[in-house]
Amino acid sequence: MRAVHRTVPAPGVLGVELARVPAGEPLELDLRLESVVEGVLVSGTVTAPVAGECARCLGPVVDRAVVDVQELFAYEVSATEETTEEDEVGRLVGDLVDLEPVVRDAVVLALPLAPLCRDDCRGLCPDCGGVLDELPAEHSHAPPVDPRWAALAERAGPIRTVSTESQE
Ligand SMILES: [Zn+2]
Ligand SMILES: [Zn+2]
C-alpha cells in the first residue's frame, strides 16, 4: 500500500452549465494505491476549487468539491484484463495508472447543477431583474393603490377589454 498526495492542474475546464473547475486550477489528490491480486486499486479523495454562478441571482459562487474516487487498474496480463473491456476496468500501462479520466468523471459528477451563492439567496426581482438581497425589503413594483379606488375595483370586478376598432 502506498499513500500518494499530489496537486495537479485541472486538465482543461471541468464543468457543467453553472459550475466548473477552471482549467489549470489545482486539484488535490489524496490517494491510496493498493496492490491487489489483479492489479492496483486506487482510492481516496480529490479536492477541487469550484467557480460558478448562483442559479437564483447569477452572482458568483466560490466553492470546493471533495469527491471520493475508487478505481481498479488491472495488470496487463491478468484474468481481469482478459475478461473485461478497457472502459469497464482501467489498465495499468507498465507501472503507470492514468488517473485523468477517473478524476475528470468524478469531479464533473460532483459539481452542483444549481449552485447557490447562499442557501437563502432570494434571487432576482421578477419585474426589474434587480438582486432582491441588495434591494430594500419593501421593494415592490405594485403601484400604490388609493384605498377608495381599491374598494371600487373590487365591486366592479375584472376590467373588460373594449375593442377600439371602428365597426362600419
Ligand atoms: Zn444568489
Ligand atoms: Zn424590482
Side-chain angles (χ1 to χ4, degrees), residues 5 12 32 48 67 82 84 125 136 140 162:
H5 183 95
R32 292 186 328 173
V67 194
E82 279 161 30
T84 60
C125 169
S140 159
V162 178

Side-chain angles (χ1 to χ4, degrees), residues 2 29 41-42 60-61 79-80 85 87 90 95 114 134 147 151 153 156-157 165:
R2 218 167 71 188
L29 312 180
L41 181 66
V42 178
V61 173
T80 303
E85 295 298 322
D87 54 0
D95 53 3
E134 292 170 6
E165 275 169 53

Side-chain angles (χ1 to χ4, degrees), residues 102-140:
V102 177
V103 169
R104 180 188 285 270
D105 289 356
V107 169
V108 170
L109 280 175
L111 292 172
L113 291 173
L116 297 178
C117 62
R118 289 203 329 264
D119 282 346
D120 59 350
C121 170
R122 294 194 296 143
L124 303 177
C125 169
D127 292 312
C128 69
V131 179
L132 286 176
D133 284 329
E134 292 170 6
L135 292 167
E138 67 275 16
H139 178 78
S140 159

